[in-house]
Amino acid sequence: ALASARELVGEVNIRLNNGEDRVMAAYAGDDAALALWRFCVVTDIVDVPSLKGLAPRIQHLITGEAEKAYKLRTAGAYSRRGQKEIQDGRWLEGGADLVRALLRPGLDEGQVRDMHSQLVQTVPGAKRQMNRAEKEAETAKIAEEQRAREMDMCKASKQSLAQQNRLWDEWTVRTNATLDPGIDERLTDPVVSLGLTLTGADGEESRLSLECCGKEHFALAATKFSMRHQLYSAAEVIKLSNMVKSELEEAGADEELEFKSLEAASAYVERAATSQNQGDLLGAIADLAAASIMESGQDQGKLASLISQYAGLRRATHLALESEWKQSLDALFSVGARDRDSNWRFLQVRCNMNLGNPSHVYSSALQALQQHQGKQSGSWELSQPRTLTALAGGLAGMGVSSLDKAMKIYTFVLRNDPDQTQVKAAYKALKAFKKQLSQVDESLRLSFNHKAVSQLKEAAGMLRGMGLETEGLHVTVLLKQCTAQSASRLHDDAIQACDQALDMIESMQGYIHPSQRTEAHRTRAQAHLVDNNFDEAVDDLKQALDSASQSSSREIEELLQQAQVQQREWEKHRDHKVVLELPSNIEELDHSARCMWLKKMYKKMAMRWHPDKARGSKKRAERKMRECGDAKVALVEQWRCKGIR
């Protein structure tokens, strides 16, 4: 690891022969030789006298444990370890061991000369190693900063979602309150008090009292009583309203009411429409009942429809407060299609959200916003159900892997309120993600596969930042990642990405579009083909064909036929050199070199594909292991190699 990635222990100012001041630093875990050699590589000081002169300057910063960690008994032991480290490409560590050897007492001139010559030769490699480590440290730092930003975004996203859920709960409570007809209670001084007998479904009779005070319209009192006792009948509401009205007239109390009757039935109907738009269904029912009384049954159909709407919505809202989402949704669908108002749509969205079906959330959110379209003026406050519905619909659109659907919802809101903070932020994040995917597609088109893999990592980070790490859009990212990694010959990573995508698709059963399942199997099949895994490629293409649409089935059939031809060819005429990943020019080497390569690569591939150690599918590892064994046997016989087991 680069020293600067560790804890700094101390620094020593050094004045070079040219008068320049430089700093020699010691880091946690350094001994004097390692700190000294790092400084010498940077300053190009490699002569033995300078090394011996500088060593005491840094020694006082070094702990005993650090010295002990590197200590060997002899200069020869240091030299041998250094040469081994240099062979392994660890130039900095190897050079430090040569410095330790040179600092040992009792060396003759020949030994010093040989070690110094080796030390000089390590400088270019040590510089490359330090530069590479510096770049890796910088990359790691950038990645860490990116992860920190993602975590901050994810935290903010989760807080926003929690706030939205809290606002949904508050809206549900408010809606339930507007539908609540209250309880039966004895008034101290009622204007009207009607004794009534209600017969239940079990035939049991109940004695009740319908009372009306001077602050309530006669039809509203009758409506609340009817809804309270689930008398969901237009005829019953009108009958009770008439009874209360008659009692008021007989008592001569009509003039004393705080809320006077309107002059015409049309005025009642107009006020009912206003009340319904404001979510006051009880008031709307009462006004339609009064209008029906004045016009002798006119608008009774509207009244029956409104009562049906009230009954279904009241039961659904009550169940929603109990978190009985499936039963709440069933209660909503007891309301006729023509009687479903905005509150009905909003509650449908809420139920589908909690039932975890993004496709239904999206469709119900879009219907709610379209039905609410005539009422879009004004600012879209976050606490309003239409805003919550839009945000839920946008997330659901992304949940079914459709950027366009999410953008459609957000655009709908921003056309009416361009400054809506939450929707605007979500729209910007989605737009940036869409741009990132476009750049990935362009990189894949140009075969810049490693660049595409890097861009896809950023795209996955964006999803995590939006709190969508496990949503449907992640399937899109994984499938593109599978394609890019397969083209980069990172087969293990590619298959793993495809497997994750298909697992996610299975978990999204019921609301994932069949075309995505088809695309996932086809993408994994193509990754298998690049990996010469023809058996599993054929299986995937068969599954892709099962879920393919009529327009894409012909193309998949052609891919399947080609894969089956390759499968038969691989079984009959397998290229064993490809199986063992031998150099392309292996046949040009002499017999000894060929056998050496065969032994080396077979050992490497056997370790890689051991079923207990290999990544991914055990079935794939077993097949690869079997193919490696067959390839070794065939090539040992062909090249007459000996001593390879």
Side-chain angles (χ1 to χ4, degrees):
L2 184 67
S4 58
R6 294 181 278 146
E7 181 185 356
L8 180 67
V9 174
E11 296 177 334
V12 177
N13 291 320
I14 304 293
R15 173 156 292 185
L16 304 182
N17 291 335
N18 61 6
E20 183 183 357
D21 289 329
R22 301 296 291 269
V23 173
M24 180 161 51
Y27 296 88
D30 284 354
D31 71 342
L34 184 54
L36 172 60
W37 180 234
R38 189 185 304 110
F39 175 77
C40 291
V41 169
V42 173
T43 57
D44 291 319
I45 298 174
V46 290
D47 60 287
V48 176
S50 295
L51 290 172
K52 291 184 175 182
L54 289 171
R57 303 283 302 276
I58 196 71
Q59 186 66 52
H60 70 282
L61 297 175
I62 305 303
T63 64
E65 288 98 8
E67 290 285 1
K68 193 174 180 181
Y70 297 100
K71 191 170 184 179
L72 295 176
R73 292 178 64 85
T74 65
Y78 283 125
S79 178
R80 287 190 294 274
R81 187 172 71 180
Q83 290 170 3
K84 179 67 170 59
E85 288 168 333
I86 291 168
Q87 288 175 359
D88 293 339
R90 301 171 63 204
W91 303 89
L92 193 63
E93 292 82 355
D97 264 329
L98 290 173
V99 170
R100 293 182 188 103
L102 285 168
L103 293 177
R104 296 281 294 182
L107 298 178
D108 60 40
E109 290 184 7
Q111 289 175 313
V112 171
R113 186 170 55 252
D114 291 343
M115 290 181 187
H116 180 255
S117 176
Q118 294 174 14
L119 185 63
V120 171
Q121 293 174 16
T122 67
V123 173
K127 286 186 176 182
R128 289 195 300 272
Q129 184 182 348
M130 290 178 68
N131 289 336
R132 184 168 62 249
E134 187 175 355
K135 288 179 181 178
E136 289 172 357
E138 184 63 26
T139 301
K141 181 181 177 183
I142 293 171
E144 185 61 33
E145 290 173 352
Q146 176 66 20
R147 280 193 295 272
R149 285 194 296 271
E150 289 169 9
M151 289 179 65
D152 290 342
M153 289 172 61
C154 189
K155 183 179 179 181
S157 177
K158 288 179 179 178
Q159 289 174 345
S160 177
L161 289 173
Q163 182 187 19
Q164 290 171 40
N165 283 327
R166 179 177 56 78
L167 291 171
W168 270 117
D169 290 340
E170 292 175 0
W171 172 82
T172 308
V173 170
R174 288 197 307 272
T175 302
N176 185 67
T178 62
L179 297 172
D180 185 10
I183 59 174
D184 286 321
E185 57 181 347
R186 304 294 298 181
L187 300 178
T188 55
D189 190 20
V191 177
V192 171
S193 181
L194 295 175
L196 301 171
T197 302
L198 297 184
T199 304
D202 56 359
E204 186 176 344
E205 294 184 346
S206 301
R207 294 289 300 172
L208 300 169
S209 177
L210 193 170
E211 296 183 344
C212 178
C213 67
K215 298 181 180 181
E216 199 168 54
H217 191 276
F218 68 88
L220 184 58
T223 296
K224 286 184 177 180
F225 180 88
S226 300
M227 300 303 105
R228 189 181 304 136
H229 297 289
Q230 299 180 20
L231 300 175
Y232 298 137
S233 162
E236 288 292 340
V237 172
I238 292 171
K239 176 183 173 183
L240 289 174
S241 297
N242 254 325
M243 291 172 64
V244 174
K245 183 173 184 295
S246 298
E247 287 292 321
L248 286 170
E249 289 173 349
E250 287 181 13
D254 187 44
E255 295 300 320
E256 299 175 8
L257 290 175
E258 186 173 317
F259 292 100
K260 304 296 182 183
S261 300
L262 298 178
E263 296 293 331
S266 59
Y268 279 114
V269 172
E270 185 178 338
R271 191 168 71 179
T274 301
S275 297
Q276 185 177 1
N277 287 335
Q278 294 172 349
D280 181 12
L281 294 185
L282 288 171
I285 291 170
D287 279 332
L288 285 180
S292 186
I293 291 172
M294 293 185 72
E295 294 283 341
S296 300
Q298 189 175 351
D299 296 311
Q300 195 164 335
K302 287 183 182 179
L303 177 61
S305 174
L306 201 57
I307 290 173
S308 170
Q309 178 183 337
Y310 171 88
L313 191 57
R314 183 188 176 195
R315 174 165 172 72
T317 306
H318 178 74
L319 288 167
L321 288 174
E322 301 296 325
S323 298
E324 300 288 348
W325 304 108
K326 180 64 172 65
Q327 294 89 327
S328 178
L329 198 59
D330 291 341
L332 283 175
F333 279 100
S334 68
V335 178
R338 292 184 177 181
D339 303 327
R340 298 170 183 175
D341 66 355
S342 296
N343 281 340
W344 189 98
R345 298 287 179 191
F346 295 146
L347 188 55
Q348 182 192 22
V349 171
R350 180 71 169 139
C351 290
N352 283 325
M353 285 169 61
N354 286 279
L355 291 172
N357 193 324
S359 62
H360 289 172
V361 173
Y362 176 78
S363 59
S364 56
L366 190 60
Q367 290 170 356
L369 293 173
Q370 288 172 341
Q371 181 168 334
H372 202 65
Q373 195 160 2
K375 314 163 191 174
Q376 307 299 337
S377 59
S379 61
W380 287 54
E381 302 294 338
L382 181 60
S383 59
Q384 295 174 354
R386 62 181 182 178
T387 308
L388 296 172
T389 293
L391 290 168
L395 284 175
M398 289 184 273
V400 294
S401 304
S402 176
L403 292 172
D404 291 336
K405 285 183 175 181
M407 297 284 272
K408 181 178 181 180
I409 291 275
Y410 293 150
T411 303
F412 184 91
V413 176
L414 294 175
R415 275 203 305 262
N416 293 281
D417 184 1
D419 297 322
Q420 212 299 317
T421 307
Q422 289 78 14
V423 175
K424 192 174 183 179
Y427 179 82
K428 283 185 176 180
L430 192 59
K431 194 173 179 181
F433 178 74
K434 190 174 183 180
K435 181 179 179 181
Q436 185 73 9
L437 286 190
S438 298
Q439 292 174 349
V440 170
D441 290 337
E442 181 66 11
S443 295
L444 289 174
R445 186 183 69 80
L446 297 172
S447 297
F448 297 161
N449 300 305
H450 290 286
K451 183 178 180 181
V453 170
S454 176
Q455 290 169 333
L456 283 164
K457 287 180 181 178
E458 292 183 32
M462 289 180 176
L463 284 182
R464 288 191 292 273
M466 289 188 283
L468 297 171
E469 191 172 0
T470 59
E471 294 289 344
L473 278 182
H474 201 56
V475 172
T476 303
V477 172
L478 285 169
L479 292 179
K480 289 181 185 293
Q481 186 177 323
C482 179
T483 300
Q485 290 173 331
S486 177
S488 302
R489 307 199 69 79
L490 301 171
H491 301 305
D492 294 337
D493 295 330
I495 298 301
Q496 185 179 20
C498 277
D499 288 346
Q500 288 177 356
L502 279 162
D503 288 344
M504 197 170 289
I505 286 172
E506 290 307 314
S507 70
M508 296 160 68
Q509 196 74 267
Y511 61 84
I512 193 72
H513 196 277
S515 64
Q516 274 202 291
R517 183 175 285 103
T518 301
E519 182 62 25
H521 280 295
R522 179 165 62 176
T523 301
R524 189 168 69 177
Q526 290 169 334
H528 282 313
L529 288 173
V530 175
D531 191 31
N532 298 319
N533 188 359
F534 299 104
D535 294 342
E536 293 190 46
V538 168
D539 289 343
D540 268 324
L541 286 170
K542 286 179 179 177
Q543 292 185 66
L545 192 59
D546 290 340
S547 58
S549 63
Q550 189 173 359
S551 59
S552 62
S553 59
R554 183 178 180 83
E555 181 186 353
I556 295 175
E557 282 178 359
E558 291 177 359
L559 288 173
L560 178 58
Q561 291 170 4
Q562 293 171 11
Q564 289 170 331
V565 169
Q566 290 175 287
Q567 182 185 30
R568 291 191 292 269
E569 185 68 21
W570 183 255
E571 286 300 320
K572 293 178 181 178
H573 308 291
R574 188 178 305 151
D575 189 337
H576 299 303
K577 296 187 288 293
V578 171
V579 171
L580 292 176
E581 297 184 4
L582 291 166
S584 58
N585 66 337
I586 190 73
E587 295 289 358
E588 300 173 10
L589 304 180
D590 60 32
H591 176 266
S592 175
R594 283 202 302 269
C595 293
M596 182 274 292
W597 270 104
L598 175 57
K599 181 178 181 179
K600 176 183 176 181
M601 293 308 296
Y602 174 70
K603 182 178 179 181
K604 178 181 177 181
M605 300 302 285
M607 291 179 64
R608 177 181 175 186
W609 294 115
H610 192 286
D612 294 336
K613 297 179 181 179
R615 293 170 55 191
S617 165
K618 191 171 183 178
K619 179 181 175 183
R620 174 171 175 253
E622 290 172 348
R623 178 185 62 79
K624 289 280 192 180
M625 192 69 183
R626 185 175 63 253
E627 289 179 355
C628 289
D630 293 344
K632 182 204 71 170
V633 170
L635 291 174
V636 163
E637 182 178 349
Q638 178 183 337
W639 293 340
R640 300 186 182 281
C641 297
K642 296 180 181 179
I644 300 179
R645 293 181 297 172

